[in-house]
């Protein structure tokens, strides 16, 4: 019966478009829009290189790879004009003799700063720039010390000793600096290590659009209640079997949609872990159960659409589909960890043994929704 229902659903082109294409289109467009907004919201800072040395170029190249701040390479005249028009936050100028000062071990006052009273991020940017200069001076001091020790102990050194020592020290900063801080964010109980867990913008967004489409396609519970359910009421097993088969058919289609979405995300964004696919499949089954239950509670299609949109959006916001809810409230963050959306916050999926709570909550949601659906169907007169 499930296979027959799937064949019937596949004969409805509009339904196929809604299930397989709208969540993907919404996710790609929203993801691109959020990425553009994030890029436009970066603080613009000008870098002016008057030294034109290897070290000044090295610092500028590293700064321009920073994702949180938009570093612009300009000449002094352009930078001053941009600053006067408040188009940039500040100017960091590498004066002539910058490399000589760094090689001498000096790091205080080697970069000139031009700013306005209206600048909002000068101190934060100063720390970023200072960290790169400190990296250079540390490398230089280490290379000088190696060359000095070779002379003290009368060790024969090659012509590239200083460069080799410099590059060796510089490589010690990779993949992260020598000194790092492991901290607990306020309101959280878990230690989050950099690189172990990353929130993605596209999988949670996909979850939001999938939930909305699930709610829209579950309107069959309302439309068929008046003319079909009542006739099947005399055959309880037939009615329950029908509801199970239709729900299962929709679940199969949405699981297939999750597989297609995962393949697209893997191609576009480089998702590596197939554990993400497992979480996506579990999530869509929860969405089908939730939307079917919500439809069973409603009497009119119009009010159902409105309620489902409001509830789906609210749950997605609290679940962290759009932004880290920990920035709003520690209480909301604790609540979000008990919602199915929390499954979609992992790009590099964790082992099942570490997310047992999310899996258990999802199964509990499915069982609770199924029980309430049966209860509501029994009350149909």
């Amino acid at each position: 019966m499930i296979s027959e229902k799937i064949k019937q659903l596949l004969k409805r082109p509009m339904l196929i478009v809604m299930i397989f294409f709208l969540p993907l289109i919404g996710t790609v467009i929203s993801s691109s829009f959020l990425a553009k907004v994030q890029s436009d919201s970066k603080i613009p800072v000008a870098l002016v290189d008057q030294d034109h040395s290897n070290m000044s170029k090295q610092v500028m190249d590293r700064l321009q790879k920073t994702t949180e701040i938009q570093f612009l390479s300009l000449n002094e005249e352009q930078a001053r004009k941009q600053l006067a028009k408040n188009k940039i936050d500040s100017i960091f100028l590498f004066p002539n003799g910058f490399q000589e000062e760094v090689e001498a071990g000096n790091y205080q006052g080697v970069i000139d700063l031009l700013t306005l009273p209206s600048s909002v991020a000068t101190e934060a940017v100063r720390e970023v720039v200072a960290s790169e200069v400190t990296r250079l001076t540390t490398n230089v001091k280490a290379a000088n010390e190696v060359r000095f020790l070779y002379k003290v102990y009368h060790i024969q050194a090659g012509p590239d000793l200083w460069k080799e020592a410099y590059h060796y020290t510089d490589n010690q900063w990779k993949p992260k600096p020598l000194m790092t801080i492991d901290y607990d964010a306020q309101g959280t109980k878990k230690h989050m290590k950099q690189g172990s867990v990353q929130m993605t913008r596209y999988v949670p967004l996909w979850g939001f659009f999938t939930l909305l489409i699930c709610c829209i396609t579950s309107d069959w519970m309302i439309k068929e209640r008046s003319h079909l359910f009542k006739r099947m009421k005399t055959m309880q097993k037939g009615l329950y079997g029908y509801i199970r088969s239709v729900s299962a058919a929709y679940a199969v289609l949405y699981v297939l949609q999750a597989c297609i979405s995962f393949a697209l995300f893997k191609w576009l964004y480089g998702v590596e872990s197939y554990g993400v696919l497992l979480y996506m499949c579990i999530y869509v089954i929860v969405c089908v159960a939730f939307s079917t239950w919500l439809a069973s509670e409603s009497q009119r299609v119009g009010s159902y659409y409105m309620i489902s949109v409001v509830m789906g959006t609210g749950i997605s916001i609290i679940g962290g589909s759009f932004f880290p809810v920990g920035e709003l409230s520690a209480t909301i963050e604790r609540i979000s960890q008990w919602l199915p959306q929390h499954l979609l916050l992992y790009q590099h999926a964790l082992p099942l043994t570490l997310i047992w709570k999310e899996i258990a909550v999802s199964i509990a949601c499915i069982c609770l929704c199924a029980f309430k659906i049966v209860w509501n169907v029994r009350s149909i007169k």
Side-chain angles (χ1 to χ4, degrees):
M1 192 172 181
I2 296 177
S3 60
E4 294 178 358
K5 189 61 184 178
I6 292 176
K7 292 178 181 178
Q8 294 177 7
L9 296 178
L10 291 176
K11 293 179 181 179
R12 298 166 57 183
M14 191 60 190
L15 181 66
I16 299 303
V17 170
M18 291 178 63
I19 293 177
F20 289 95
F21 294 101
L22 289 187
L24 286 173
I25 294 174
T27 301
V28 173
I29 294 176
S30 301
S31 179
S32 301
F33 173 76
L34 292 177
K36 186 177 185 302
V37 170
Q38 184 180 8
S39 177
D40 293 341
S41 63
K42 291 180 181 179
I43 300 172
V45 175
L47 300 176
V48 178
D49 186 7
Q50 293 182 333
D51 191 47
H52 301 291
S53 61
N54 292 332
M55 288 190 177
S56 62
K57 184 177 182 302
Q58 186 178 24
V59 174
M60 292 183 63
D61 290 343
R62 286 174 178 169
L63 291 175
Q64 288 174 338
K65 295 178 181 178
T66 304
T67 58
E68 294 81 6
I69 303 170
Q70 183 182 12
F71 286 102
L72 306 173
S73 179
L74 304 172
N75 60 45
E76 185 175 359
E77 181 180 359
Q78 292 173 334
R80 288 182 179 273
K81 288 181 179 179
Q82 296 280 357
L83 184 64
K85 296 178 181 179
N86 280 325
K87 292 186 177 181
I88 58 176
D89 185 81
S90 52
I91 302 173
F92 285 85
L93 189 145
F94 297 80
N96 291 323
F98 169 79
Q99 180 164 322
E100 286 77 4
E101 291 290 333
V102 172
E103 290 178 344
N106 300 326
Y107 59 90
Q108 297 287 348
V110 295
I111 297 179
D112 296 332
L113 171 63
L114 301 178
T115 185
L116 294 175
S118 59
S119 298
V120 296
T122 301
E123 293 301 323
V125 181
R126 193 202 300 268
E127 292 297 325
V128 175
V129 176
S131 67
E132 292 297 337
V133 176
T134 302
R135 179 174 178 174
L136 286 181
T137 55
T138 302
N139 297 342
V140 169
K141 288 181 179 179
N144 291 338
E145 182 68 15
V146 169
R147 185 168 56 185
F148 172 76
L149 291 176
Y150 266 66
K151 291 181 179 180
V152 169
Y153 293 103
H154 305 288
I155 302 175
Q156 185 67 29
D160 296 329
L161 173 65
W162 192 92
K163 290 183 179 180
E164 292 175 0
Y166 177 91
H167 290 301
Y168 177 83
T169 306
D170 188 65
N171 288 332
Q172 302 308 304
W173 296 77
K174 302 174 183 178
K176 57 184 179 180
L178 297 176
M179 183 184 73
T180 57
I181 300 175
D182 186 15
Y183 64 93
D184 285 331
Q186 185 176 2
T188 61
K189 296 182 179 180
K190 296 181 179 179
H191 292 273
M192 306 296 286
K193 295 185 179 180
Q194 182 180 6
S196 60
V197 179
Q198 296 182 358
M199 188 193 306
T200 62
R201 63 177 182 268
Y202 45 89
V203 176
L205 283 175
W206 167 86
F208 165 69
F209 288 107
T210 298
L211 176 57
L212 289 185
I213 299 301
C214 271
C215 291
I216 294 174
T217 55
S218 293
D219 58 358
W220 62 272
M221 279 288 295
I222 305 174
K223 294 179 179 179
E224 297 180 5
R225 178 183 301 161
S226 59
H227 64 278
L228 181 60
F229 284 11
K230 290 183 179 180
R231 293 199 304 266
M232 300 181 66
K233 185 67 176 177
T234 56
M235 302 173 59
Q236 291 290 342
K237 292 184 178 180
L239 177 57
Y240 297 143
Y242 176 77
I243 293 175
R244 285 196 299 268
S245 64
V246 175
S247 300
Y250 275 102
V252 170
L253 293 181
Y254 277 104
V255 167
L256 180 59
Q257 186 259 106
C259 296
I260 296 174
S261 301
F262 175 81
L264 181 64
F265 293 153
K266 186 175 180 63
W267 178 58
L268 290 178
Y269 305 110
V271 178
E272 297 179 357
S273 175
Y274 284 93
V276 177
L277 175 59
L278 173 62
Y279 306 148
M280 291 170 67
C281 293
I282 295 174
Y283 175 78
V284 295
I285 296 175
V286 175
C287 290
V288 172
F290 171 80
S291 59
T292 306
W293 159 75
L294 190 60
S296 70
E297 298 281 355
S298 305
Q299 300 297 326
R300 296 179 179 85
V301 175
S303 59
Y304 164 70
Y305 288 150
M306 181 179 65
I307 294 173
S308 62
V309 169
V310 172
M311 289 190 64
T313 304
I315 292 174
S316 297
I317 292 175
I318 297 175
S321 295
F322 304 107
F323 53 85
V325 292
E327 298 177 358
L328 297 179
S329 169
T331 302
I332 297 178
E333 184 180 22
R334 286 193 290 269
I335 295 174
S336 70
Q337 295 175 2
W338 293 92
L339 295 177
Q341 281 77 8
H342 203 247
L343 279 171
L344 306 179
L345 299 183
Y346 300 100
Q347 179 179 15
H348 302 288
L350 297 177
L352 292 176
T353 54
L354 298 181
I355 61 163
W356 60 268
K357 180 176 67 177
E358 286 81 358
I359 301 295
V361 168
S362 299
I363 295 175
C365 287
I366 295 172
C367 295
L368 183 60
C369 289
F371 172 79
K372 196 62 173 66
I373 292 169
V374 173
W375 182 275
N376 293 337
V377 169
R378 285 181 176 178
S379 63
I380 296 177
K381 297 180 180 179

